[in-house]
Amino acid sequence: MRLLLLLSTLALTLSPQAPKVPVGTIAPAFTSTTDTGTPVSLGDFRGKYVVLEWHEKGCPYVTKHYRGGAMQRRQKAWMDRGVPWLLINSSAEGFHSYLTPEDSREYRAELGATPTAMVLDPSGTVGRLYGVHTALHMVIIDPEGRVVYNGAIDDQPKTESSSLQGARNFVDQALTEALAGKPVSVPSNTPYGCEVHYKGEN
């Protein structure tokens, strides 16, 4: 099972795909529910930069960023600057990465992760809107609702924690530039990570 997961991940990592939602276009609107049972819409954050992070429990690429607390610190740092950070789980029921609301809350507590919200998308509606195939797929939306970044978290498509050292973090870079009123120098690239398991797919 683990071998198949890693093989499918590798295939996706090495297969560049153009973003379904190109940079500069209006981000698709969505309404879903968080793991606390609260409705959430992209429109709730109009007027702010927003980060969308597709997240999957058990994915070694995700674990790499959370194991030592790097992602948790990153989320808090940007949230403290007024940037909402939404985790999105688009895994369907029946897959290892599917989370019930209770499972999700327990999982986040174990991670020590306190994002703005964990959005549960078991129907895959939100993920498909954005053409997401992997976790971690990252999207940044500006205050006018346009996509300013769509791609990978960094330039190290590896599972080893050591790869975080010296990595070029594209999300940090894009947010720093955008909040300073500068053009985003790397607006898109190929996301890497584990395959998102959508409803109706094997």
Side-chain angles (χ1 to χ4, degrees):
M1 178 90 170
R2 182 176 175 80
L3 178 60
L4 288 174
L5 172 62
L6 291 174
L7 287 174
S8 65
T9 298
L10 181 61
L12 285 165
T13 300
L14 298 177
S15 302
Q17 300 182 35
K20 181 178 179 180
V21 184
V23 169
T25 62
I26 295 294
F30 64 83
T31 298
S32 194
T33 305
T34 71
D35 62 5
T36 62
T38 305
V40 62
S41 298
L42 182 60
D44 296 340
F45 307 104
R46 187 79 173 184
K48 299 181 178 181
Y49 283 94
V50 182
V51 176
L52 308 182
E53 172 197 331
W54 266 265
H55 188 99
E56 197 170 273
K57 180 181 179 181
C59 171
Y61 293 95
V62 172
T63 301
K64 174 184 80 169
H65 286 274
Y66 282 85
R67 185 185 295 119
M71 188 70 93
Q72 295 92 319
R73 291 189 292 273
R74 176 166 288 109
Q75 291 164 355
K76 184 178 186 306
W78 287 112
M79 288 163 58
D80 285 349
R81 294 184 63 180
V83 178
W85 193 296
L86 308 182
L87 304 190
I88 303 176
N89 184 303
S90 294
S91 298
E93 187 171 1
F95 290 100
H96 71 278
S97 50
Y98 168 75
L99 294 172
T100 66
E102 182 179 4
D103 290 340
S104 180
R105 294 193 301 272
E106 291 178 358
Y107 169 62
R108 285 195 296 106
E110 290 171 4
L111 286 182
T114 55
T116 304
M118 168 68 101
V119 179
L120 299 182
D121 176 42
S123 68
T125 301
V126 182
R128 287 189 172 106
L129 270 177
Y130 283 80
V132 170
H133 296 280
T134 60
L136 302 150
H137 184 135
M138 311 294 299
V139 176
I140 301 174
I141 301 164
D142 74 8
E144 286 72 50
R146 295 186 183 277
V147 174
V148 294
Y149 180 77
N150 192 341
I153 179 72
D154 60 24
D155 63 351
Q156 296 294 316
K158 304 173 183 178
T159 59
E160 297 83 8
S161 296
S162 59
S163 67
L164 294 175
Q165 300 298 320
R168 182 183 185 184
N169 192 285
F170 295 120
V171 172
D172 281 348
Q173 178 177 300
L175 284 171
T176 298
E177 292 169 342
L179 267 67
K182 300 177 181 178
V184 174
S185 55
V186 181
S188 67
N189 50 43
T190 302
Y192 70 83
C194 297
E195 179 182 6
V196 173
H197 299 289
Y198 286 113
K199 184 176 182 179
E201 297 181 2
N202 294 324

